[in-house]
């Protein structure tokens, strides 16, 4: 009888366990002659024990360098390639033959984003008509090659996608993109067991809204450092959760709340940027990163979703000469957790645990031991 009780409670203990969000970093390459070699980047990632890396440039030599490292790779297809991939599946196959097939599964490729922040570039060049056809062609091309464990998605920017961050209960996808682009895309993600990818920067929202206390954006536990959503009665203690729940609400409005959410980019600059960006400093950047990692490792999720976001990628691994390497961000800002010469700027451990069993699980575990061994 005690053995049966032990097994029953142990199963309950396992049932109460849940996965913590996986934490990774973005590494974007540069064209400078001082860029580290792919092997150096791979070795650095392994030394820092960072489990996931997002490679927006998807350089084949870099993908190869991660072979047998057990580091999960999140690749991206650049926006200018979308029209060609959408028009012809053979071009999707060609991209896979160059970036995936020679390395997979020795290099642990786990996700491919077709484009990044496509809605942000509509004024310059509109890639939105090609987005879903390109994703479908890449998905079919992967299956044609017998690769069925690499999901396909695309990455959106919070500010060009979501109507509001507060209150989160009022958030919706901006129109007409919501109905014309995002809704059919969410259906594709649900059908293919993929995830919704979003770039989420509390720093940028804080800069746009002077009413937001900096401590609220930096995960600080100050008195009265909270905001209440009067519609849901939910209390928010940090801006990251508020923005994440705005995304989750917008998805729920369209009937796709079960699709996992991955934060493809987040971070806080440690310097540079425009005149007057006094909040872009190393002290605040370290506070944001420590607060983010601590929050994700706590396993509390977001107020509207117990298991929260599935993965989070910090932007980015290292500073670049002259600032960041992304045209969608303010030039000169330094987002790296490492300096240009690859020394650490912050005392932040990004590597994350796999499981969090919670108080209920621990309680059941000790009861099971007590009953099994009277």
């Amino acid at each position: 009888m005690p053995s049966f009780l032990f097994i029953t409670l142990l199963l309950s203990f396992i049932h109460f366990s849940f996965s913590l969000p996986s934490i990774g970093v973005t590494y974007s390459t540069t064209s400078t002659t001082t860029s580290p070699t792919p092997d150096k980047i791979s070795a650095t990632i392994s030394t820092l024990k960072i489990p996931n890396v997002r490679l927006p440039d998807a350089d084949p030599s870099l993908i190869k360098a991660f072979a047998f490292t057990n580091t999960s790779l999140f690749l991206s297809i650049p926006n200018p390639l979308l029209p060609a991939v959408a028009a012809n599946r053979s071009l999707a196959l060609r991209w896979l033959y160059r970036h995936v097939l020679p390395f997979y599964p020795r290099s642990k490729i786990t996700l491919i984003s077709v484009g990044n922040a496509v809605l942000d570039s509509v004024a310059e060049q509109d890639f939105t008509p090609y987005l879903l056809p390109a994703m479908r062609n890449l998905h079919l091309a992967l299956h044609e090659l017998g690769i069925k464990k690499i999901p396909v998605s695309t990455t959106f920017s919070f500010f060009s996608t979501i109507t509001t961050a507060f209150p989160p209960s009022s958030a919706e996808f901006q129109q007409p993109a919501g109905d014309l682009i995002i809704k059919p895309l969410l259906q594709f993600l649900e059908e293919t067991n993929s995830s919704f990818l979003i770039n989420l920067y509390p720093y940028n929202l804080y800069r746009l809204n002077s009413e937001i206390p900096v401590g609220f954006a930096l995960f600080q536990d100050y008195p009265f450092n909270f905001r209440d959503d009067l519609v849901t009665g939910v209390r928010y203690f940090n801006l990251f959760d508020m923005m994440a729940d705005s995304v989750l609400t917008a998805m729920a409005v369209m009937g796709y709340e079960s699709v996992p959410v991955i934060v493809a980019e987040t971070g806080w600059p440690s310097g540079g940027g425009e005149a007057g960006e006094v909040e872009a400093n190393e002290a605040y950047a370290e506070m944001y990163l420590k607060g983010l990692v601590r929050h994700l490792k706590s396993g509390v999720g977001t107020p509207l979703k117990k298991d929260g976001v599935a993965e989070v990628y910090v932007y980015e691994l290292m500073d670049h000469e002259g600032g960041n390497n992304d045209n969608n961000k303010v030039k000169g800002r330094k987002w790296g957790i490492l300096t240009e010469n690859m020394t650490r700027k912050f005392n932040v451990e990004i590597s994350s645990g796999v499981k969090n069993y919670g108080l209920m699980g621990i309680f059941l575990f000790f009861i099971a031991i007590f009953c099994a061994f009277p």
Side-chain angles (χ1 to χ4, degrees), residues 194-222:
S194 191
S195 304
F196 185 79
L197 314 180
I198 190 83
N199 297 335
L200 196 154
Y201 285 94
Y203 175 79
N204 291 340
L205 185 57
Y206 164 76
R207 290 273 299 163
L208 290 171
N209 191 335
S210 59
E211 296 181 359
I212 299 175
V214 67
F216 187 67
L218 294 172
F219 297 92
Q220 298 304 295
D221 297 326
Y222 297 148

Side-chain angles (χ1 to χ4, degrees), residues 250-261:
M251 294 170 64
V253 168
M254 289 193 165
Y256 293 98
E257 62 271 19
S258 62
V259 174
V261 172

